[in-house]
Amino acid sequence: MSLSRLFNPRSIAVIGASRNPDKIGHVILRNLVEYGYKGKIYPVNPSANEILGLKAYKSVLEIDDEVDVAIIAIPADKVLEAAEECGRKGVKFLVVITSGFSEAGNEEGEKKLVEVARKYGMRVLGPNIFGYAYTPSRINATFGTKDIAVGGISFLTQSGALGIALMGWTLMEELGMAALVSLGNMSDLDATEISDYLADDENTKVITIYLEGLKPGTGKAFIEKMRRVVARKPVIVIKAGKSTRGSMAAASHTGSLAGSSRIYEAAFKQAGVLEASTVEEMFDWARAFSLLEIPRGDKTVILTNGGGVGVLATDAAEKYNIPLIDPSNELKNKLRKVMPWYGSVRNPIDLTGGALVDNYVKALEILEESDEVDNIILLYCRTAVLDPIELAKTLAEFKKKLSKPIVAGFVGGADVREAIRILNKNGIPTYPSPERAVSSLAAMLEYRRIRSRLGGVA
Ligand code: COA
């Protein structure tokens, strides 16, 4: 069954929609309502007539309508009966929030849950999850933050608590999300199947996954399926539980086989999945993928107003295998005209600390036109003569004329932070350090190489 109705349901029932505003079932219902889901919402609670102004039903069987998705948030010993009723009702997807299944030694209960689902042709997300969200359908069926920034990043997570925490963090960082899926015990739907669906989702530009481990015996399938995903969309994974102690912690957390870090590294490489080493790095890269088209080539220039950050970016470019071009004499002559005589027309192109908005714009116009350049790393250090917000606003405008991928590193204080925000909002992935900008472009270039190797559109 396609997962389309999970992400674009016509109706959602919340089984265990509590009247108590502090309970999980209530919070999920509230988030669904307040985030603006436009389909039908049916609270199910045997002891309530109305919750949050919506008519409540004693059982899912009482609902006089088709139900595409049922969110289940009742204690574990009641889940099977509710699942059975959902099956009889013709529900298509069970999203089981409830804990107390295989992660707690109740393998039998989890097996039975999947059996019930199979019997009726339902699919199961979970159990032991914080829910899921899909911003294009205005679905927030989680007990995380009420609001979610909209964008092209889809995030799948095997850790619930981290997922909820990252919902708040992505909102603060204004990282736009498409789907957000808590994977939990992956009794049925798993990371590969959801990624496979999202690879064809027009709202998803990049898939990010927090992974603790795969189920024993699923490694080969992971590689094969992920290769097909990666041929369509970039996938970034952060693998937790790489240290010996960490892998023991992961085993008791989600029951996954954390395994040797080298085996996972090799599997990710074969699958063409990009492996980030920190959560921050994963979302840095994801930001670039969500805002830019995949680069057409790898010839790159650094444009800066500060020698120091230019050198740092150059070191980072070498570390990450980004080819920095040596500009031709013709290109150098053009660049010389837009900077003081003591600037540098070599790569990094240094407009010097006296650079004004106009110097950046003119240099960008030249770089945009030049066949020698595919990508631009734009750096800015706070100076007394150039207001970062003015530069950001001008660049945001200029971006409309720019066809080449551009990443930026802006270094400085509070007003620079605001400039970074403006740039990110306007489609230029911008970071508070040169290295993070370079690393993000490097991830895109790496993906470009992987995709052409896998036979995707280069
Ligand atoms: N159908 C529908 N509603 C039912 C029901 C049924 N068969 N049986 C009970 N309910 C109602 C209850 O009456 C209650 O509503 P009320 O507060 O208005 O009376 C509501 O559903 C919730 O039931 P309750 O027994 O109060 O459960 P709970 O809210 O204390 O706990 C879970 C339910 C699912 C939250 C809990 O079992 C659990 O698993 N918690 C962990 C969840 C988690 O952390 N998941 C992983 C995150 S990463």
Side-chain angles (χ1 to χ4, degrees):
M1 191 205 299
S2 154
L3 304 189
S4 166
R5 282 275 166 251
L6 176 63
F7 292 99
N8 306 284
R10 292 160 296 190
S11 57
I12 301 178
V14 181
I15 300 177
S18 170
R19 292 159 294 178
N20 178 344
D22 297 329
K23 290 219 164 191
I24 285 180
H26 185 97
V27 178
I28 292 174
L29 180 70
R30 196 173 61 217
N31 278 347
L32 259 181
V33 172
E34 293 187 352
Y35 193 60
Y37 171 57
K38 293 283 179 289
K40 304 241 180 55
I41 306 173
Y42 297 113
V44 178
N45 182 334
S47 335
N49 295 320
E50 197 188 278
I51 306 166
L52 292 172
L54 296 167
K55 175 176 159 40
Y57 296 80
K58 306 262 173 271
S59 148
V60 76
L61 290 167
E62 274 189 10
I63 300 168
D64 186 21
D65 185 14
E66 276 191 62
V67 176
D68 286 333
V69 173
I71 318 279
I72 300 186
I74 50 177
D77 58 347
K78 296 180 176 164
V79 167
L80 288 184
E81 198 188 324
E84 189 73 43
E85 288 185 359
C86 287
R88 280 167 42 213
K89 174 70 192 160
V91 169
K92 295 176 185 62
F93 292 93
L94 298 179
V95 174
V96 186
I97 306 293
T98 312
S99 299
F101 289 89
S102 67
E103 88 288 354
N106 179 13
E107 273 89 4
E108 197 51 32
E110 191 162 310
K111 212 172 118 211
K112 283 196 181 134
L113 173 66
V114 177
E115 274 167 19
V116 171
R118 292 254 154 85
K119 187 164 85 181
Y120 292 103
M122 298 185 288
R123 301 301 308 270
V124 182
L125 184 63
N128 186 30
I129 60 174
F130 68 88
Y132 78 113
Y134 184 60
T135 61
S137 302
R138 299 304 290 177
I139 293 175
N140 179 358
T142 73
F143 54 95
T145 53
K146 183 179 80 182
D147 210 4
I148 305 166
V150 177
I153 303 173
S154 282
F155 176 46
L156 319 183
T157 175
Q158 231 175 340
S159 163
L162 180 70
I164 293 175
L166 289 176
M167 279 181 84
W169 184 77
T170 53
L171 191 61
M172 188 182 72
E173 292 286 320
E174 298 183 87
L175 282 155
M177 310 300 288
L180 209 141
V181 182
S182 178
L183 296 166
N185 298 358
M186 299 196 285
S187 67
D188 177 24
L189 291 171
D190 63 9
T192 47
E193 193 169 350
I194 296 167
S195 299
D196 187 48
Y197 172 80
L198 293 172
D200 290 329
D201 170 36
E202 58 175 7
N203 299 298
T204 295
K205 290 198 78 178
V206 54
I207 299 166
T208 54
I209 309 175
Y210 168 91
L211 193 71
E212 285 194 353
L214 300 168
K215 291 243 156 92
T218 61
K220 250 205 168 103
F222 175 87
I223 295 172
E224 275 163 27
K225 288 184 187 157
M226 277 308 193
R227 280 170 78 94
R228 289 203 290 272
V229 172
V230 169
R232 288 169 284 161
K233 294 274 162 77
V235 178
I236 309 168
V237 164
I238 175 137
K239 169 72 177 72
K242 286 182 116 181
S243 60
T244 312
R245 269 189 109 79
S247 85
M248 287 189 309
S252 63
H253 183 203
T254 45
S256 311
L257 203 66
S260 132
S261 61
R262 251 174 287 146
I263 292 178
Y264 274 99
E265 270 161 32
F268 295 150
K269 237 195 173 90
Q270 272 189 55
V273 165
L274 301 168
E275 189 182 1
S277 51
T278 62
V279 169
E280 179 183 80
E281 187 172 72
M282 177 166 79
F283 282 108
D284 274 356
W285 296 356
R287 190 191 289 282
F289 280 110
S290 73
L291 297 180
L292 300 174
E293 294 309 318
I294 305 302
R296 283 183 293 227
D298 57 9
K299 296 171 293 183
T300 301
V301 291
I302 297 170
L303 178 65
T304 182
N305 72 340
V309 287
V311 177
L312 287 171
T314 306
D315 287 347
E318 191 170 305
K319 177 174 154 198
Y320 296 122
N321 283 326
I322 297 182
L324 295 179
I325 63 155
D326 290 316
S328 65
N329 284 335
E330 189 195 336
L331 181 54
K332 281 184 187 157
N333 286 336
K334 285 185 186 162
L335 287 166
R336 251 182 218 115
K337 297 194 179 110
V338 302
M339 65 174 73
W341 63 268
Y342 48 86
S344 171
V345 290
R346 296 166 66 180
N347 193 4
I349 299 159
D350 188 355
L351 300 171
T352 77
L356 301 174
V357 170
D358 204 42
N359 298 95
Y360 272 102
V361 169
K362 292 215 166 95
L364 283 174
E365 277 166 353
I366 294 165
L367 297 174
E368 167 69 8
E369 257 174 38
S370 166
D371 292 340
E372 297 170 40
V373 177
D374 294 315
N375 315 298
I376 300 158
I377 298 168
L378 186 145
L379 304 176
Y380 164 79
C381 273
R382 181 66 168 108
T383 61
V385 295
L386 179 48
D387 175 5
I389 303 210
E390 190 196 342
L391 177 62
K393 285 185 176 158
T394 310
L395 291 175
E397 210 35 54
F398 186 80
K399 168 80 169 53
K400 294 175 191 150
K401 290 191 273 176
L402 192 68
S403 67
K404 296 180 179 174
I406 177 168
V407 295
F410 270 43
V411 185
D415 53 0
V416 165
R417 182 133 199 107
E418 178 55 19
I420 292 174
R421 229 177 60 86
I422 294 170
L423 287 163
N424 280 322
K425 267 217 145 47
N426 284 281
I428 300 179
T430 306
Y431 307 87
S433 76
E435 295 89 347
R436 286 170 65 182
V438 174
S439 152
S440 302
L441 178 65
M444 296 198 79
L445 294 178
E446 176 64 11
Y447 176 64
R448 183 178 173 273
R449 288 190 277 269
I450 290 169
R451 195 168 65 168
S452 60
R453 202 174 65 224
L454 292 178
V457 202

